[in-house]
Structures are given as structure tokens and as C-alpha cells.
Amino acid sequence: MSRAYPLTYCTNIHPGDGWADVMLNLEDHVPAARRACSPDAPFPLGLRLSARAADELDDAAIDAFSRWCDEHECYVLMVNGFPYGVFHGAAVKERAYLPDWRDARRVAYTKRLADILARWSPREALTSISTVPVAFREGFDAADWPTVRAHLVDVLAHFARVRDRGGPWIRLAIEPEPHCVIERTAEALAFFERMRFPASLTEHIGLCFDCCHQAVEFESPAQSLAQIAGAGIAIARVQVSSALRASGAAVAQLLAFDEPTYLHQAVLQRRDGELLRFADLPGLARWLERGETPEECRVHFHVPIFLERIGGVDTTRFFLEEALPRIPAGTPLEVETYSFGVLPAALRLDSLGASIARELDWVKGTLDAAHSRH
């Protein structure tokens, strides 16, 4: 049954931002992943391209990569256009969202990704480019919405022209994320209501449903997916990812995962049910110093999806187990454990290659087990 879902991993787990780095990582990891997880069929790629890599790709390199895919029995299923710049080995934090949809550089970058993807995707194929959820919450103002809408309409019109010329059907996949302008399902629905995109362009936009992000928000997989479907919003892809969680006094153990590269947004549930949101773990630490014992807390830290517990705390694997069987068949699934390199060393259970294969196998097994029960 799992073959009904195109399944891959996102190459944003690999360091390096230039095109040479991308190729080196693909050559090091993709052949083994294909042999382990897709020995009898071409292996789909969830390709992360930074702005630098996209600019370095000339016509010859684009054609050469097409040949490489043919030789290695792979194809580009979709592109991650969320991180614009450096994503590993430096303090990324809130810069991961820059430039955001208020900035013309985000427009030019996304159009460039579409033009490249059009060269790699078969005519009339359905594919997607994931992107930031408008902007980071701090510093965004209601007065920014007209600029955001104009930029998005510009990009969607570009996608429509690509399709009119016989290229693939590309969707922009907005990815809700904690502490951003769009984080909860209700905010995603309100975004589409606010934007009221022209009817001719609505087929070119949808959501990237990141399971880690929505689990951190204490959302119900069944309710969230039903609300999205009821609003007629397409899920362009599902990112199969898992977060950290702890209850009661154990919440303090989550602070051990604070590290300098990425934001680790936290959502804390008080004993009375109120949800408190923190942009990063230091904010959670300051709240805990007050001495109040929380009910539960969840933290945005992409941990290996097959683990139910890690480093003395739990994970949100349960969210994946509830969500995956509810995903419509045909929806691309993309494992995205990009934080592997910043896990505490004692918790890195496998090599990166072994972890990729183990995660993809876990998704297949979970889907097969769920569907065999029905």
C-alpha cells in the first residue's frame, strides 16, 4: 500500500549550499538510498536548492543533472525552496525565513526554482516548491499584506505561464511553522481567505503539511486534515517529521536540546489548558524558572521519526502514526530530519545513510500496517 505514496527524504539534511555540494551529497547518499528503499522503481528526490545553487545552475549543468538522474534511476519529485541561504554549520535561527514574502528576492528565487524544475519534470507532471509561511511573526505588520499578496500573485502567474508553455503543473507549498505568520491550521485557512487569489491561479498554490510543526501546535491530525480538505485547499506535500515532547517536571529536560544553529520553538500547555508560545528554548527556560509545573511542552526539533523516546524525553511519533493513514493517496511524502547533525552526539544512533534508510522503511511499514487493518 505504501507505493501509493511517492516517498523520499529532503536533501536539506545535507550540509553545503553550492551546486557542487548538492551533487556531492547526492552521489554519496542517493544511490544507497535507492537500493535500500526503491530497488525496483526510480527513486524520487526532494531536492533542496539554495539561491546560490540555483544561480550556479547553467543550461549545461541542468542538462547534465537530467542525465545523472537517468543513469541513477532517480527523478526530481519536488524542490525545497524554503531556506534561501546557508542552512548548516552557522547560526541560522530566524534568518531561515529571510528573505520572506515581503522581499522581491524571494520572488526572483522562487521563479528561478520553477524554471529549473520545469527542465527536470515531465510535461504535465504535478510537482511543488515549498516555501516560508509568509514571514517570521516578529516584525510582521498588517500593512505588509498587500505586498505579500502582490508577490505571491506574481509567482503564481509565473507558474501558470510555465504550464501554459507545456511545462509541469507546479504548486507553491506554503509551510506553516511555529512562531511564524502562519503556524496553526486556522491561520492557514485564514490566509487563503485573506488572499483571495484569482481563480485562474488557485491550482498553483497549496500547503506543505509538516507533521512536526503541527504536532508542536497541539493540533489533532484528523481535525487539521479535515479542515484543510473542507476548505478545498490542496496539500502539495507532507513532510514526515517528528518533534520533542515532555510532561510535568520532565519538561526541563527539553532544555538539553538547546543549540546555536536552529530555532527550536516551544509550545507549552499549562495545567488549565492555556497554550504559551516561545520563539526558542531560552524563552522556555526563563518561564520554567518561575517554578510553575506545566502539563506538557512540545519543541520544534526534527528528531528521527522512528523513535518514540530520545534522550530521556518523548517524541511526537504518535502524531505521525495518526496522520499518515489519513493522507490522501498520491500525496508526496518527504522525510525531513534536518537536525540530525545537531543532535547531542550520544543520541546519534546511526550513520546518516543508515538513518535515511531506516526512516523511509519506517514510513513504509507504518503505512502498510495501517492500511492492512482496513
Side-chain angles (χ1 to χ4, degrees):
M1 184 62 69
S2 59
R3 288 185 180 275
Y5 301 85
L7 172 63
T8 187
Y9 78 96
C10 185
T11 65
N12 69 350
I13 73 172
H14 301 306
D17 295 286
W19 177 243
D21 300 315
V22 173
M23 282 305 307
L24 181 62
N25 288 321
L26 293 176
E27 289 168 349
D28 283 349
H29 295 286
V30 166
R34 189 196 68 79
R35 288 192 298 271
C37 305
S38 186
D40 303 320
F43 183 69
L45 299 176
L47 193 64
R48 187 255 163 157
L49 290 177
S50 69
R52 174 187 164 190
D55 287 343
E56 290 174 353
L57 274 165
D58 58 18
D59 288 344
I62 291 172
D63 290 341
F65 185 64
S66 293
R67 294 191 294 273
W68 186 92
C69 286
D70 290 341
E71 291 167 6
H72 292 82
E73 298 183 73
C74 302
Y75 66 98
V76 178
L77 175 64
M78 50 199 171
V79 166
N80 185 328
F82 192 126
Y84 179 94
V86 173
F87 195 60
H88 289 276
V92 178
K93 297 294 183 179
E94 61 268 26
R95 289 188 298 166
Y97 313 102
L98 296 175
D100 59 38
W101 280 103
R102 296 171 291 185
D103 193 321
R105 290 176 297 169
R106 176 64 62 173
V107 176
Y109 167 55
T110 309
K111 286 182 177 179
R112 175 61 179 156
L113 293 179
D115 292 340
I116 294 169
L117 185 55
R119 299 275 296 274
W120 289 334
S121 295
R123 181 185 179 96
E124 296 301 321
L126 175 58
T127 183
S128 66
I129 298 171
S130 61
T131 193
V132 297
V134 179
F136 191 59
R137 187 172 291 280
E138 261 93 42
F140 188 84
D141 190 87
D144 295 324
W145 279 116
T147 299
V148 168
R149 186 182 186 279
H151 285 165
L152 287 168
V153 168
D154 187 6
V155 166
L156 300 182
H158 185 77
F159 289 5
R161 288 191 293 272
V162 168
R163 193 178 188 192
D164 289 344
R165 293 194 296 264
W169 173 6
I170 304 174
R171 278 188 174 134
L172 187 66
I174 304 284
E175 183 180 335
E177 181 166 324
H179 221 78
C180 290
V181 172
I182 305 173
E183 55 179 302
R184 293 166 292 171
T185 299
E187 290 170 332
L189 271 56
F191 163 78
F192 281 90
E193 280 292 318
R194 177 190 289 272
M195 292 293 98
R196 295 193 178 275
F197 294 113
S200 60
L201 300 180
T202 55
E203 67 178 5
H204 290 288
I205 189 165
L207 290 176
C208 170
F209 188 89
D210 188 304
C211 294
C212 168
H213 299 171
Q214 303 320 121
V216 168
E217 294 293 336
F218 283 81
E219 296 205 324
S220 155
Q223 184 177 7
S224 179
L225 291 168
Q227 289 175 335
I228 293 167
I233 298 169
I235 295 181
R237 73 178 73 171
V238 170
Q239 287 190 326
V240 184
S241 53
S242 187
L244 296 167
R245 67 192 287 245
S247 300
V251 167
Q253 296 183 47
L254 294 169
L255 301 179
F257 290 85
D258 189 19
E259 55 80 33
T261 304
Y262 304 112
L263 277 184
H264 297 296
Q265 302 95 316
V267 179
L268 180 143
Q269 185 180 58
R270 301 177 73 173
R271 291 289 172 87
D272 62 3
E274 180 187 7
L275 295 179
L276 303 179
R277 291 177 166 80
F278 304 94
D280 206 351
L281 284 171
L284 172 64
R286 288 190 292 272
W287 188 90
L288 290 173
E289 288 172 358
R290 297 168 37 178
E292 181 179 334
T293 301
E295 180 69 22
E296 184 179 345
C297 186
R298 300 180 186 180
V299 172
H300 177 215
F301 195 120
H302 289 226
V303 293
I305 60 174
F306 47 81
L307 294 176
E308 195 168 16
R309 188 170 176 80
I310 182 170
V313 298
D314 297 325
T315 75
T316 60
R317 193 181 77 176
F318 74 93
F319 187 100
L320 287 174
E321 292 169 334
E322 293 178 23
L324 285 173
R326 293 178 165 88
I327 303 301
T331 305
L333 305 179
E334 181 181 44
V335 175
E336 198 206 16
T337 311
Y338 66 78
S339 300
F340 183 86
V342 297
L343 276 173
L347 302 179
R348 297 177 203 173
L349 305 181
D350 298 303
S351 68
L352 183 56
S355 184
I356 292 169
R358 188 172 175 185
E359 292 194 303
L360 295 175
D361 282 342
W362 183 87
V363 176
K364 289 181 181 179
T366 300
L367 284 169
D368 287 341
H371 289 295
S372 69
R373 293 193 293 267
H374 295 86

